[in-house]
Amino acid sequence: MLNETAEKLNNQAIMLASNGDYPEAIACFVRALTIENGNSLLWFNLGVTYRDAGNLDSAKEALIKAHKINSTDEEIIEALSLVCYSLGEFDSTLNYCVEGLNYNPGNPHLWNTTGVVYFNRNNYTDACSAFEHAVSLNPYYYDAVFNLHDTYKELGNKQGEEECIIRMKEMEKHGEPK
């Protein structure tokens, strides 16, 4: 293709991926990376596409490359932590969350993911703290409120459970995204 640029290939790949044509999208990203191998956005988009296609190991590899190029990008760190979580790599998940929170302690998504790992390890006290932090940063973060509810239930905090239920009902009533 004449005038083939990494940007054009990236845009084409995003369109293909949005239509569910993951093999073609991946091929476009790989081609774009032959033009601009040091482009963290291309590696990130490749990783997300692999993730969406269900290939978590390849997703992790691509996201690690993106992270090596741009170690402070929160989207990369969030995606990498979630892929590691999906792979059952809880230590890696926590490490990426801590790293991301060092750059931006105000990231509610990383606090929520941290809480999920603690919850799954039956460490409800630390999970509660992480979820409360996520909710304090974004009171309308439905997943964090839902997770906080479950954690309060495990801890026997009836009042906290009720407050979460009220908040979730309010969010649902006002059409807040789940």
Side-chain angles (χ1 to χ4, degrees), residues 94-105:
L94 278 179
N95 288 338
Y96 286 118
C97 286
V98 167
E99 182 182 333
L101 289 168
N102 283 335
Y103 295 120
N104 180 8

Side-chain angles (χ1 to χ4, degrees), residues 6-18 21-22 24-30 32-33 36 39-53 55 58-67 69 73 75-76 79-80 83:
E7 182 180 5
K8 286 180 184 177
L9 288 164
N10 181 60
N11 293 339
Q12 182 181 357
I14 290 169
M15 291 295 294
L16 289 164
S18 69
D21 192 354
Y22 301 121
E24 285 297 318
I26 289 165
C28 280
F29 285 128
V30 169
L33 284 161
E36 286 185 31
N39 185 323
S40 65
L41 178 62
L42 292 173
W43 284 110
F44 171 76
N45 288 341
L46 176 62
V48 168
T49 303
Y50 273 130
R51 179 201 66 202
D52 293 349
N55 187 338
S58 293
K60 181 181 172 189
E61 286 177 35
L63 291 168
I64 286 172
K65 288 180 182 173
H67 183 253
I69 296 165
D73 186 300
E75 283 188 89
I76 294 170
L80 194 48
V83 166

